[in-house]
Amino acid sequence: MRDPYDILTDLRAGRRLAAEDLAAVADGAAGGGWSDARLGAFLMGAAIHGLDAAQTRALTLAMLDSGDRWELRREFPGLVDKHSTGGVGDKVSIVLAPLLAESGVPIVMLTGRGLGHTGGTADKLESIPGLRQELDRDSAARVLARTGMALGLATAGIAPADRRLYALRDQTATVDSLPLIVASILSKKLASGAAGIVFDVKSGDGAFLPDRSAARELARQLVEVCGELDTRATALVTDMSQPLGEWVGHAAELAESFACLRGEGPRDTVEVTLALAIEAAALVGVDLAAEALRQTLASGRAMDRLRRWAIEQGASATWFERPDLTLAPLERVIPARRSGVLARVATRRLGLLLGEAGGARRVAGEELDRGIALRCRARLGDTVGAGQELARVYLRRDDPGLVERFAACFEVADTGCAPPLIASRVPA
Ligand code: URA
């Protein structure tokens, strides 16, 4: 293995790094052999010069190999996974997993906690009492065999190189480097060993990458690197210029997920979920039709599948008889200040304000308030009258200043329209 100093010298000069060099970086990150200073220099060099496709693939593989690889496709050959780059009100995973499982497509998803202005699936599912979300390979395989789905938080053994590099990216202004994002996402996603992965790359104000062409390029690179690492993948670039669904907030989103699973969900959430389900199934040779999926939802079978899975992972069966998903008690209405068309929603800001109201952690491990919520009553492009309710917030404490800042997130103008829900598709 080459000396880190020589590797960094080549990177600084813009010379390509060999796969062995990138393996040295990942080893050094996971094992502690590289100092923070050296890793920071690597990140900055990679962010400035970029990494080509071969280097991105090599870094991804090295980071993946820094930890456990579950290879679950050995026991579950048609296993799929789904990844979302995250958004406000994005509850798709909670609906998609039981829908696919009920349609005969096994699915594993190692989900995360909230990040920045976006809520994490694991935090939303935590409203279910007793649910155990820490999964290791054995428990994931067991619950998959029994219920066709496994959802949970990855163990510390997965991609330790990413844990260190990710934390350093935050400190070194290298968070938005595409090759570093690709390697980071895939080093964790490929660890469970699904045969196919569908990516939901969000674009628009509430997305991690708001720009649609940047989102599409990320989608393209994710699909390409997966293919080179023996995993079939497709991606949809979907709209996040307004929250997905009517509800945002942990308990509220779980309740809305249950509504989707009973066939009573909002159109946008259901449409994105069905499109991703069809893509995921196609990756493993299963042809699913939207109409059949709608029937599975309306029949209540998908909801029943979620309940069976949750109980298998420790959830209280009696809780499901009457789920307690109480919202914070102070309701404040946000009215339209004028008549016109809802033209813009500051979606990222809405996510941050919900966090400020108590709905997100300021530091890891802190308790969050699951009852804080926002209900969007108007969608982009809707015609609204002056004084009409645009949204409603559910708070724990009265705070007129905060409500005013929520209100400033909704802009009514003379014209406006909603972008397409599914902007583009990157095929396998
Ligand atoms: N999610 C990740 O896991 N890594 C990134 O770099 C960005 C989003």
Side-chain angles (χ1 to χ4, degrees):
M1 232 178 238
R2 287 207 299 153
D3 190 275
Y5 195 94
D6 296 335
I7 295 174
L8 291 173
T9 304
D10 280 352
L11 178 62
R12 185 183 145 187
R15 288 188 280 273
R16 290 188 75 259
L17 297 183
E20 296 73 34
D21 298 334
L22 294 158
V25 175
D27 275 359
W34 278 46
S35 65
D36 284 356
R38 282 184 162 155
L39 291 173
F42 166 77
L43 292 169
M44 186 57 78
I48 290 173
H49 294 290
L51 299 175
D52 64 16
Q55 291 177 101
T56 306
R57 184 194 59 215
L59 178 64
T60 304
L61 186 58
M63 287 168 64
L64 175 64
D65 283 338
S66 74
D68 302 337
R69 294 186 64 174
W70 292 359
E71 300 290 5
L72 283 168
R73 74 174 83 165
R74 282 199 218 122
E75 289 117 288
F76 306 94
L79 186 65
V80 299
D81 191 350
K82 170 255 183 186
H83 178 82
S84 162
T85 55
V88 178
D90 181 4
K91 55 204 67 81
V92 167
S93 296
I94 303 170
V95 186
L96 180 79
L99 178 60
L100 277 172
E102 190 57 33
S103 307
V105 179
I107 176 162
V108 63
M109 241 187 283
L110 296 181
T111 67
R113 301 237 171 246
L115 204 62
H117 63 288
T118 67
T121 299
D123 294 324
K124 295 168 199 174
L125 287 170
E126 231 157 49
S127 292
I128 304 176
L131 184 70
R132 279 191 304 273
Q133 297 204 67
E134 287 75 23
L135 286 180
D136 56 20
R137 188 191 191 284
D138 286 352
S139 50
R142 195 176 55 246
V143 74
L144 255 173
R146 292 191 182 155
T147 69
M149 60 181 277
L151 240 70
L153 290 159
T155 57
I158 284 184
D162 181 63
R163 239 189 325 284
R164 188 134 175 253
L165 289 169
Y166 194 82
L168 287 169
R169 278 168 58 207
D170 234 4
Q171 297 173 42
T172 54
T174 54
V175 167
D176 59 0
S177 152
L178 272 190
L180 296 179
I181 295 171
V182 170
S184 168
I185 291 175
L186 293 185
S187 65
K188 292 167 292 203
K189 261 295 128 174
L190 295 170
S192 56
I197 305 178
V198 64
F199 293 95
D200 181 5
V201 179
K202 306 285 188 192
S203 75
D205 183 80
F208 165 65
L209 288 178
D211 178 63
R212 213 189 277 171
S213 58
R216 186 171 163 89
E217 178 55 20
L218 173 62
R220 193 194 65 71
Q221 291 192 23
L222 288 167
V223 167
E224 180 178 283
V225 174
C226 278
E228 287 169 353
L229 295 176
D230 194 27
T231 303
R232 286 178 63 73
T234 49
L236 298 180
V237 177
T238 69
D239 182 49
M240 188 36 69
S241 51
Q242 59 187 329
L244 191 66
E246 264 187 43
W247 289 94
V248 190
H250 295 93
E253 285 186 51
L254 193 58
E256 190 166 59
S257 306
F258 290 175
C260 292
L261 287 165
R262 291 190 304 264
E264 296 158 6
R267 190 190 63 83
D268 61 349
T269 314
V270 174
E271 211 171 291
V272 170
T273 306
L274 296 192
L276 291 166
I278 290 167
E279 294 287 350
L283 291 170
V284 290
V286 177
D287 196 12
L288 291 182
E291 206 32 56
L293 290 169
R294 282 185 206 282
Q295 278 169 21
T296 304
L297 293 175
S299 70
R301 283 187 283 124
M303 181 64 214
D304 196 51
R305 178 70 67 146
L306 180 93
R307 194 181 53 79
R308 281 206 289 127
W309 157 77
I311 292 168
E312 191 65 40
Q313 279 189 209
S316 147
T318 50
W319 182 84
F320 275 95
E321 286 163 18
R322 211 172 327 141
D324 177 10
L325 293 166
T326 313
L327 300 184
L330 284 174
E331 290 183 40
R332 293 292 176 261
V333 170
I334 294 169
R337 290 174 185 162
R338 52 162 284 192
S339 63
V341 174
L342 182 61
R344 202 178 78 86
V345 178
T347 308
R348 178 188 179 83
R349 182 123 186 85
L350 284 176
L352 292 171
L353 288 172
L354 286 166
E356 194 182 320
R361 298 184 179 82
R362 279 156 303 169
V363 289
E366 191 180 54
E367 261 304 301
L368 47 75
D369 189 333
R370 295 175 200 294
I372 300 295
L374 167 78
R375 184 176 193 185
C376 296
R377 305 304 302 266
R379 312 295 297 164
L380 284 175
D382 283 358
T383 301
V384 295
Q388 185 179 326
E389 180 174 332
L390 296 179
R392 186 175 285 235
V393 281
Y394 295 74
L395 303 173
R396 193 70 61 190
R397 282 178 304 277
D398 201 14
D399 185 344
L402 183 64
V403 175
E404 194 43 47
R405 280 182 283 145
F406 271 110
C409 294
F410 296 86
E411 185 184 321
V412 176
D414 292 338
T415 56
C417 60
L421 197 52
I422 298 174
S424 59
R425 169 176 186 268
V426 178

